[in-house]
Amino acid sequence: LIDREWPAKYADKINLKVLLLGTIKITENTYRSIRYLCADKPEDVSRKLEFAVSIPPLARTILDSVFTIVYLFDDLDGRLAWYHKSGWREISEEHERYQRQYGDDPSWVEYIGWQKAFIDHGQQDLGITDEEAIDLKKIKWWPNPGKMARDTSMSEDRRRYLSYLNDWFYKTLSADSHLSWPGFASRASHCCVF
């Protein structure tokens, strides 16, 4: 539908189309991975029951997608630019780290050069000012789901919805993914015998 019925009012928002299509494909692939890991049919001797303990971080990926799309569409023009600029900042900071650490290593030259070309093209394509490029801190980070849920600039119904998802699902899935003590205890209890 995104390809066939793309709204005319978004005809100039190719970055949005790419983001939505990519999000759908990533989510679909993640969901299919979950289904495979949790399935008992068809039988597969290499699939182990304890693989299901790996599902919470995958489910969190799907929930991250929901948060991003709900938050993004609350203020599409402003947030789409913010999302891309924040990503550009992240890649630029990574590039600076790689340049410092591996800039003299011949095996890194091609990758660092490719990354620099991507950054230069992105600066122009995303409308990043020279001032922002010089001082990356002028570009705000894209918020994590907890911050999205607390953003008072968002409509009340979206904030309530994201707060619900955060409180009832995301916090637990995040703990499972980061292996904080509650997440560790939950996942270890299903796959480890002490």
Side-chain angles (χ1 to χ4, degrees):
L1 286 176
I2 289 174
D3 270 336
R4 289 190 314 268
E5 298 180 18
W6 188 248
K9 67 180 180 179
Y10 298 143
D12 64 331
K13 296 192 183 320
I14 301 304
N15 285 345
L16 175 62
K17 192 174 192 179
V18 170
L19 175 60
L20 293 176
L21 284 170
T23 299
I24 288 168
K25 292 296 185 183
I26 291 166
T27 301
E28 177 186 30
N29 189 54
T30 304
Y31 178 71
R32 287 178 185 224
S33 299
I34 290 169
R35 286 190 59 188
Y36 173 79
L37 290 171
C38 291
D40 54 3
K41 291 184 181 168
E43 288 189 29
D44 182 342
V45 294
S46 58
R47 182 172 42 224
K48 309 286 186 224
L49 182 61
E50 59 266 28
F51 288 177
V53 176
S54 300
I55 301 306
L58 296 173
R60 179 185 165 198
T61 298
I62 293 172
L63 195 53
D64 271 309
S65 297
V66 172
F67 270 88
T68 295
I69 298 303
V70 169
Y71 190 70
L72 183 73
F73 274 91
D74 189 63
D75 173 16
L76 185 58
D77 289 330
R79 294 205 176 127
L80 183 62
W82 179 13
Y83 178 84
H84 284 101
K85 281 186 168 191
S86 178
W88 183 89
R89 174 187 172 176
E90 189 170 350
I91 292 168
S92 295
E93 288 181 350
E94 177 184 76
H95 175 74
E96 288 176 2
R97 283 191 309 274
Y98 289 168
Q99 185 64 45
R100 279 191 309 274
Q101 187 70 29
Y102 307 109
D104 296 329
D105 185 337
S107 63
W108 279 81
V109 169
E110 185 178 351
Y111 179 76
I112 290 173
W114 172 86
Q115 199 177 45
K116 176 69 171 131
F118 179 83
I119 289 165
D120 291 345
H121 177 74
Q123 180 179 352
Q124 180 182 359
D125 191 45
L126 298 173
I128 293 167
T129 66
D130 289 339
E131 186 180 2
E132 289 170 323
I134 291 167
D135 184 1
L136 296 174
K137 292 179 180 160
K138 292 188 182 293
I139 299 173
K140 291 187 333 182
W141 284 116
W142 182 252
N144 64 34
K147 289 181 181 174
M148 290 178 195
R150 293 187 304 274
D151 186 340
T152 57
S153 72
M154 190 169 38
S155 67
E156 182 60 31
D157 59 331
R158 288 175 187 262
R159 195 166 64 245
R160 260 195 327 271
Y161 178 59
L162 293 185
S163 291
Y164 170 80
L165 292 178
N166 190 53
D167 291 344
W168 287 98
F169 303 102
Y170 196 82
K171 287 179 182 179
T172 302
L173 293 173
S174 187
D176 287 350
S177 183
H178 292 294
L179 294 178
S180 64
W181 173 245
F184 169 80
S186 172
R187 291 179 70 192
S189 68
H190 295 291
C191 68
C192 301
V193 177
F194 297 102

